[in-house]
Amino acid sequence: MDFLTLFLVYLCFVLVVTALLCLCSGRKESFLTRSVNRASQVLSLVIPTQLQRVTHKVTHGALHRLFHTRSCLFVVLHIALQAAVFGEYTWEVFGYCWELQFHLLLLLLPYLLLAGNMGCFLLCSRANPGIITKSNHASLVKVYAYDGVMFQRGTVCPTCTMEKPARSKHCSVCRTCVHRFDHHCVWLNNCVGASNAGWFLLYLLSLTATAAALAALTVSFLIHVVLLSSLTHSTYLDAQGQEHPVEIAFLVQHLFLTFPRIVFMLGFVILLTLVLGGYSAFSLYLAFTNQTTNEWCKARRFGVSHHLSSQPPDRQLVYKNIYSKGIWRNLKEIFRPPTALERKKK
């Protein structure tokens, strides 16, 4: 069926683009950059040298500005996608569901979740993530202990020329060191650090809930349409003139041809819910174990092959997270970051 092929291509395209954006954001040499380099090597056999130089300069300059400099492009894209989805929901789904006498609170739930999500988005994107300056450096050094493996005492940031506090990292996009650095989020155009990690977690959870609510209401509407039309008890004739009972594929085709924009929106929202749901689960895991994304990635690279300088060379050191204090205390730390004074009291 042509419509099913088109719809599957659409879903795959959305999924691939989302995965590429996740892979490309926050990396010095992204997957997209490597792919462009490989493609350039192949095309260099047939493209003139002067044209290659111009294309290389334009392409690499654009990719660098896109993923490694602060830009509002993804913020605008973020808002545009939400506007498009909610425009379709308001224009068609809300009206149809209202005619089918859906409960008003259910229909307003996505808007309430959107309001909460936009509030968290503004607070997280506009907040100071925990930028380390000369005035607060002395106090931030005392907040977390150095584990001696991932964070070594005396390590100096070559850009900021200051000793790195434990759990901090220099962000090449924002060009500052950030306390309890998690990652740089292109969708927020800001880093996620000690001061806004709680708002980021709420933003992510509310965005997932918004997408899930839209998907659930849209699916519920389409099911109501199918049940009211009694298509499940009908039959159809195939190309050879043979009669068959209505199957799921036929129902999907009927809904696609009757409500094309709604079905396309539903496919996008379902994929978004799955992607955001997986990322939210991962973020909750990090919060429960008091880890950052940066620390989790570093721990994968460390493995068990690194040694402390004071340890015998034949003795392997297993990395251990010394910052975890139990689930509830870890969650409390996300929303209320500790200070040097609190650590001294403990």
Side-chain angles (χ1 to χ4, degrees), residues 37-79:
N37 289 335
R38 294 192 185 101
S40 300
Q41 292 173 2
V42 175
L43 294 176
S44 64
L45 301 174
V46 294
I47 297 178
T49 305
Q50 293 297 329
L51 183 59
Q52 288 181 40
R53 291 175 181 174
V54 174
T55 305
H56 178 83
K57 186 179 295 185
V58 172
T59 304
H60 285 261
L63 288 176
H64 180 79
R65 287 193 300 273
L66 186 61
F67 292 106
H68 304 295
T69 57
R70 297 199 69 178
S71 171
C72 293
L73 176 62
F74 284 97
V75 175
V76 173
L77 179 60
H78 174 278
I79 296 174

Side-chain angles (χ1 to χ4, degrees), residues 167 288-290 321-327 330:
R167 312 192 77 181
F288 290 154
T289 56
N290 203 335
N321 179 17
I322 67 171
Y323 305 111
S324 181
K325 309 177 187 68
I327 291 178
N330 291 340

Side-chain angles (χ1 to χ4, degrees), residues 230-251:
S230 301
L231 280 175
T232 54
H233 304 291
S234 304
T235 58
Y236 71 96
L237 297 177
D238 60 13
Q240 287 74 34
Q242 296 181 348
E243 187 176 9
H244 300 277
V246 169
E247 302 168 345
I248 294 179
F250 183 88
L251 291 176

Side-chain angles (χ1 to χ4, degrees), residues 29-221:
E29 187 182 4
S30 66
F31 172 79
L32 186 58
T33 304
R34 294 195 301 270
S35 300
V36 170
N37 289 335
R38 294 192 185 101
S40 300
Q41 292 173 2
V42 175
L43 294 176
S44 64
L45 301 174
V46 294
I47 297 178
T49 305
Q50 293 297 329
L51 183 59
Q52 288 181 40
R53 291 175 181 174
V54 174
T55 305
H56 178 83
K57 186 179 295 185
V58 172
T59 304
H60 285 261
L63 288 176
H64 180 79
R65 287 193 300 273
L66 186 61
F67 292 106
H68 304 295
T69 57
R70 297 199 69 178
S71 171
C72 293
L73 176 62
F74 284 97
V75 175
V76 173
L77 179 60
H78 174 278
I79 296 174
L81 288 173
Q82 285 191 325
V85 170
F86 270 89
E88 177 60 26
Y89 172 77
T90 304
W91 183 255
E92 292 197 275
V93 179
F94 186 93
Y96 288 135
C97 290
W98 179 257
E99 292 179 3
L100 292 173
Q101 298 182 344
F102 277 58
H103 198 284
L104 180 60
L105 184 59
L106 288 176
L107 298 180
L108 294 179
L109 180 60
Y111 297 105
L112 298 176
L113 291 171
L114 176 65
N117 175 252
M118 291 306 297
C120 295
F121 171 80
L122 291 173
L123 289 169
C124 190
S125 61
R126 304 294 296 177
N128 181 339
I131 295 175
I132 301 172
T133 62
K134 292 182 178 180
S135 59
N136 64 13
H137 175 265
S139 60
L140 293 180
V141 168
K142 302 175 183 177
V143 174
Y144 292 110
Y146 292 89
D147 62 5
V149 180
M150 191 177 294
F151 302 105
Q152 303 279 355
R153 186 180 296 276
T155 304
V156 177
C157 174
T159 305
C160 300
T161 64
M162 293 185 294
E163 180 184 2
K164 288 185 177 182
R167 312 192 77 181
S168 68
K169 186 180 183 296
H170 183 85
C171 176
S172 59
V173 180
C174 296
R175 299 176 183 177
T176 56
C177 282
V178 178
H179 181 50
R180 199 185 181 278
F181 177 85
D182 191 277
H183 70 288
H184 180 88
C185 181
V186 294
W187 299 102
L188 297 171
N189 195 27
N190 197 11
C191 284
V192 178
S195 301
N196 64 349
W199 289 118
F200 176 76
L201 184 60
L202 292 177
Y203 158 75
L204 193 58
L205 293 174
S206 61
L207 187 60
T208 306
T210 303
L214 286 171
L217 281 169
T218 306
V219 169
S220 181
F221 158 67

Side-chain angles (χ1 to χ4, degrees), residues 9-21 268 271-272 274-275:
V9 169
Y10 161 73
L11 293 182
C12 292
F13 173 77
V14 173
L15 186 60
V16 169
V17 169
T18 304
L20 282 176
L21 289 176
F268 173 75
L271 278 178
L272 192 63
L274 295 175
V275 173

